[in-house]
Amino acid sequence: MEEIRIVLPKIPDYHKIEVYENNGGYQSAKKAFNISTDEVIDIVKKSGLRGRGGAAFSTGLKWSFMPKTTDKPKYLAVNGDESEPGSFKDRQVFEDNPHQLIEGILISCYAIGAKTAYIYIRGEYHKWIKLMQKALDDAYEAGYVGEKMKEKFGTDFYCDIYIHKGAGAYICGEESALMNSLEGYRGYPRIKPPFPAQRGLWGNPTTINNVETIANIPKIIENGWEWFSSIGAQKHPGTILFGLSGHLNKPGVYELPSGILLTELIEKYGGGVLNGKKIKCVIPGGSSMPPLRGDQLEGIKMDADSLRDAGSAIGTAGVMVMDEDTNLLKVLLRITKFYHHESCGQCTPCREGTGWMEKTLKRLADGNGTPKDLDMLESVANNIEGNTICALGDAAAWPVKFMIQRFRNELEEYLKPEIILPVKNKVHSMRNTVNPLSTILR
Amino acid sequence: MGFQFTEENIARVNKAKSKYPTSLAAVMETLWIAQEQNGYISEEVMSHVAEVLQIDKVNVLSVVTFYTMYFQKKMGKYHIQVCTNVSCMLRGAYEIWDAVKDKLGIENMEVTSDGKFSLEEVECMGACGYAPMIAVNENFHENLNKEKVLEILDSLK
Ligand SMILES: Cc1cc2nc3c(=O)[nH]c(=O)nc-3n(C[C@H](O)[C@H](O)[C@H](O)COP(=O)(O)O)c2cc1C
Ligand code: SF4
Ligand code: FES
């Protein structure tokens, strides 16, 4: 597949404002400000751009939900929480292309009518917060952001951009938790509806988009929607920042057209599996997404629809590869431990269910489980899925449910066979026991 | 004498406040500044933050106890964070975890008696492609193995 760079161009020092300017930087914003907001939304809609934060929802459509006639202030929140295990792509945007993100924010704010944007960055990214702040300071200084924009771009429109530093909580990546966190509360997800476009930050209309999503916007405005929609998979066009990790020779972030074959991604870009081993399992979209069997990867394409058809999801495109020697029970335990730790605790099924699943899996991993426990785990997972305020519940349930469905034999290797009690019939048993009653009761 | 922001930090807090329509929203950044100055978030720090932002102390407490990066006790000069989540685990994170624990002689969230090191097992840090990794205070160290980790620990004076 041909390499195309949209979000991470191979231009040395592109993160510096002068270099960005010399390569046509901030010209897309100028172009956008000279057409109507409806037209900008229309271009983004037609481009087919879908969110890169997990749900792959149409960005143009999301923008069109923002009320047009309102006296309330409107907000844009850019999601750089990036805490899903297996995903580490947005930090590359902060590092290599911060100005394209800033320019994307300007255009997005213009389109939805927001005067303030917040970039929410996870607290652990101290270094990338500093890099992003430096770029933002330079952009303010040059007049591309804030009130000076009016002069610089010759428009009435201007907006401010601020960075909000998180402090360690995966759940703050969930959009409504992110808003609570921004407002200074605990990161508790909110019940929807109302949706953020109706009642978001401080009760005002708000749009939340992922960092990578927004970083695509300037190029779509520059080159047109026809150009963007012709790249990669037709229904999920553009490039995707794939984060390859696990047992690979060349893990890392690779920007490639959507729809690339998973096998090509692993072999050609990831450099194949370490020590030439076979693949047992691949999680294609970050730890919440259903795992795929290594012997069934042939022909799977990396875009939202193809992956859905293959029984998984694109998520944040964090591809985790596990070789044939991997103990999947330990992997599942580690994933479940994560969701238990990160559950905010508001909903009983998620709070209690993740704890039970972790405890049970720990017992199994310690060698004290039987295949029946797998059925029990599946039923706990099914009782979490769909019964919670936010999608963290589903994110915790899916790995358990699908790992058991797809890797039952592999998991059973670590379990004891069924314990057969010396009782023939459980209901009217006492007459038929092999052993006298007294020995059982003792 | 209780905790007081330095003059310079008061200016930073005021700048943080100016980013948001409410002063409550500045609580996270204010706590970051406080932690930088004091090392951790004590009762006194919480009272002062509440006072400076003119918000209820319970709001400060609820935030401090929700987010894992606000320390509620004094940590070591070097806070060692070992990621053991899946991508790191696949590449030997638990060997690193054990080696660090052995070397420092402390458990999760403990501090060495000389106050030099503290240790924390952390969730995915967003460095999965460069696994395994540890973070020392704010700095990431990536593509590690046991030997490299021990070298890093030795280099911390
Ligand atoms: C538990 C949970 C964690 C999430 N974490 C992130 C995240 O770290 N970054 C992100 O962009 N989206 C995350 N999302 C998705 C957001 O809720 C939201 O859909 C997304 O930011 C929208 O942006 P997009 O339309 O550009 O994809 C998370 C969702 C859930 C349920
Ligand atoms: S599903 Fe879990 S994380 Fe989401 S609101 Fe409920 S308890 Fe919190
Ligand atoms: S799993 Fe360790 S950094 Fe992501």
Side-chain angles (χ1 to χ4, degrees), chain B residues 16-51:
Chain B
K17 280 202 309 204
S18 71
K19 289 166 40 172
Y20 309 96
T22 66
S23 68
L24 176 61
V27 69
M28 288 184 74
E29 188 160 336
T30 306
L31 283 167
W32 273 118
I33 297 167
Q35 179 153 301
E36 205 183 290
Q37 187 181 319
N38 192 58
Y40 71 108
I41 308 294
S42 62
E43 283 276 332
E44 283 175 354
V45 169
M46 284 192 265
S47 302
H48 188 59
V49 166
E51 201 178 304

Side-chain angles (χ1 to χ4, degrees), chain B residues 49-100:
Chain B
V49 166
E51 201 178 304
V52 169
L53 295 180
Q54 292 178 301
I55 58 175
D56 208 297
K57 206 180 149 187
V58 74
N59 283 101
V60 184
L61 180 70
S62 78
V63 166
V64 171
T65 50
F66 185 82
Y67 298 91
T68 56
M69 295 181 77
Y70 297 126
F71 300 137
Q72 292 171 63
K73 64 174 187 186
K74 198 166 174 353
M75 301 310 276
K77 179 177 171 199
Y78 299 108
H79 184 56
I80 314 292
Q81 303 140 73
V82 182
C83 170
T84 59
N85 211 305
V86 177
S87 301
C88 285
M89 177 180 115
L90 293 171
R91 299 186 75 114
Y94 277 102
E95 279 149 46
I96 288 178
W97 170 250
D98 288 340
V100 176

Side-chain angles (χ1 to χ4, degrees), chain A residues 121-138:
Chain A
I121 308 182
R122 64 178 300 181
E124 293 85 350
Y125 278 0
H126 307 275
K127 173 181 158 186
W128 293 275
I129 290 169
K130 283 183 190 138
L131 293 174
M132 201 58 225
Q133 188 65 54
K134 164 84 173 73
L136 197 51
D137 291 345
D138 289 347

Side-chain angles (χ1 to χ4, degrees), chain A residues 265-320:
Chain A
L265 191 59
I266 291 173
E267 292 304 326
K268 184 166 167 201
Y269 296 96
V273 181
L274 281 174
N275 305 315
K277 293 234 158 96
K278 287 204 193 88
I279 299 175
K280 186 183 268 182
C281 172
V282 175
I283 299 179
S287 67
S288 328
M289 300 305 149
L292 297 166
R293 286 189 65 89
D295 50 16
Q296 293 174 2
L297 303 179
E298 221 48 60
I300 294 181
K301 288 183 178 170
M302 296 297 285
D303 61 84
D305 307 282
S306 308
L307 272 170
R308 194 196 50 221
D309 294 343
S312 191
I314 187 79
T316 52
V319 181
M320 303 157 105

Side-chain angles (χ1 to χ4, degrees), chain A residues 171 189 342-347 350-351 388-393:
Chain A
I171 193 57
E342 301 300 329
S343 166
C344 82
Q346 283 190 112
C347 329
C350 171
R351 182 186 65 237
T388 56
I389 295 176
C390 88
L392 187 139

Side-chain angles (χ1 to χ4, degrees), chain A residues 63-88:
Chain A
W63 290 5
S64 71
F65 296 154
M66 289 291 274
K68 300 242 154 20
T69 48
T70 172
D71 300 335
K72 290 181 170 178
K74 295 187 233 175
Y75 292 97
L76 174 72
V78 181
N79 195 340
D81 192 53
E82 187 150 87
S83 307
E84 170 101 345
S87 62
F88 52 101

Side-chain angles (χ1 to χ4, degrees), chain A residues 202-413:
Chain A
W202 299 285
N204 301 307
T206 303
T207 293
I208 298 116
N209 276 125
N210 172 258
V211 166
E212 182 188 344
T213 311
I214 298 291
N216 272 290
I217 301 292
K219 292 290 165 190
I220 294 175
I221 298 297
E222 182 186 331
N223 300 319
W225 63 266
E226 294 93 340
W227 164 80
F228 189 84
S229 66
S230 69
I231 299 164
Q234 209 190 344
K235 287 187 176 162
H236 185 190
T239 58
I240 294 179
L241 302 183
F242 293 101
L244 306 187
S245 70
H247 295 135
L248 290 172
N249 285 309
K250 289 189 331 191
V253 174
Y254 296 90
E255 177 171 15
L256 291 160
S258 62
I260 185 175
L261 283 171
L262 176 55
T263 45
E264 183 182 353
L265 191 59
I266 291 173
E267 292 304 326
K268 184 166 167 201
Y269 296 96
V273 181
L274 281 174
N275 305 315
K277 293 234 158 96
K278 287 204 193 88
I279 299 175
K280 186 183 268 182
C281 172
V282 175
I283 299 179
S287 67
S288 328
M289 300 305 149
L292 297 166
R293 286 189 65 89
D295 50 16
Q296 293 174 2
L297 303 179
E298 221 48 60
I300 294 181
K301 288 183 178 170
M302 296 297 285
D303 61 84
D305 307 282
S306 308
L307 272 170
R308 194 196 50 221
D309 294 343
S312 191
I314 187 79
T316 52
V319 181
M320 303 157 105
V321 178
M322 297 164 226
D323 73 15
E324 53 188 311
D325 299 334
T326 310
N327 179 336
L328 290 182
L329 191 54
K330 283 196 179 154
V331 169
L332 188 55
L333 168 62
R334 189 62 190 83
I335 292 177
T336 305
K337 181 179 159 155
F338 169 75
Y339 290 108
H340 181 208
H341 184 250
E342 301 300 329
S343 166
C344 82
Q346 283 190 112
C347 329
T348 316
C350 171
R351 182 186 65 237
E352 302 300 321
T354 51
W356 274 106
M357 293 196 300
E358 186 195 337
K359 261 192 225 164
T360 310
L361 283 162
K362 176 80 174 69
R363 178 163 55 76
L364 266 55
D366 287 344
N368 298 318
T370 74
K372 274 238 159 70
D373 288 316
L374 296 181
D375 301 333
M376 197 256 285
L377 278 166
E378 251 191 297
S379 110
V380 176
N382 282 330
N383 280 308
I384 300 175
E385 192 182 348
N387 293 327
T388 56
I389 295 176
C390 88
L392 187 139
D394 299 347
W398 286 348
V400 172
K401 182 172 151 179
F402 289 102
M403 195 70 99
I404 294 174
Q405 273 178 20
R406 294 176 187 169
F407 294 92
R408 193 159 186 125
N409 289 343
E410 284 81 354
L411 296 174
E412 286 189 355
E413 271 176 44

